[in-house]
């Protein structure tokens, strides 16, 4: 019975680790693809529905103002009618973005969340290793 409970706990921990690894891979991919991008603050000017495209204005590192450019996509506005009040509240709001200095491409600044995904995965991996070692040490050796 103890083996069954240990096995369930190990299975749960491995599933949790796999999900965390998937999140981590997405975070590392984002960090890698935006490594040369520059962070800045943009002001939202409009949101389109049903696409969920967020448009805004920002100033780049050379002082050039980019007006009413697509900043990122907001999934909460995709494939259904957006709430006009919600869009009105977003208009004029300041958001953190990243932009590529050569192409002008922009995306929402999600570096913090990406780093959290990496740290959570490393912590879960270390915790799983410690748990497996602890389980291995507490097993009573069988005598023949």
């Amino acid at each position: 019975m103890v083996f069954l409970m240990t096995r369930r706990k190990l299975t749960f921990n491995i599933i949790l680790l796999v999900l965390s690894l998937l999140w981590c891979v997405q975070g590392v991919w984002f960090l890698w693809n935006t490594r040369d991008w520059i962070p800045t603050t943009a002001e939202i000017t409009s949101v389109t529905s049903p696409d969920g495209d967020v448009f805004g204005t920002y100033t780049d590192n050379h002082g050039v103002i980019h007006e009413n450019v697509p900043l990122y996509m907001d999934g909460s506005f995709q494939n259904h009618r957006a709430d006009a009040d919600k869009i009105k509240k977003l208009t004029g709001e300041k958001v953190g973005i990243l932009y590529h200095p050569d192409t002008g491409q922009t995306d929402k600044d999600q570096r913090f969340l990406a780093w959290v995904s990496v740290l959570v995965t490393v912590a879960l991996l270390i915790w799983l290793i410690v748990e497996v070692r602890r389980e291995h040490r507490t097993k009573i050796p069988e005598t023949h």
Side-chain angles (χ1 to χ4, degrees), residues 88-102:
K88 191 174 181 179
K89 287 179 187 176
L90 279 178
T91 303
E93 198 172 296
K94 305 267 187 209
V95 292
I97 63 164
L98 297 172
Y99 73 91
H100 192 284
D102 298 330

Side-chain angles (χ1 to χ4, degrees), residues 37-105:
W37 293 32
I38 299 171
T40 191
T41 302
E43 183 177 337
I44 295 175
T45 56
S46 64
V47 179
T48 62
S49 177
D51 298 331
D53 293 329
V54 177
F55 290 83
T57 300
Y58 71 93
T59 304
D60 67 18
N61 62 339
H62 298 297
V64 177
I65 297 173
H66 301 266
E67 293 184 30
N68 207 28
V69 296
L71 301 176
Y72 57 88
M73 291 184 70
D74 189 334
S76 64
F77 294 111
Q78 290 178 339
N79 299 325
H80 58 80
R81 288 196 174 150
D83 183 9
D85 291 333
K86 189 174 179 183
I87 290 176
K88 191 174 181 179
K89 287 179 187 176
L90 279 178
T91 303
E93 198 172 296
K94 305 267 187 209
V95 292
I97 63 164
L98 297 172
Y99 73 91
H100 192 284
D102 298 330
T103 64
Q105 184 181 358

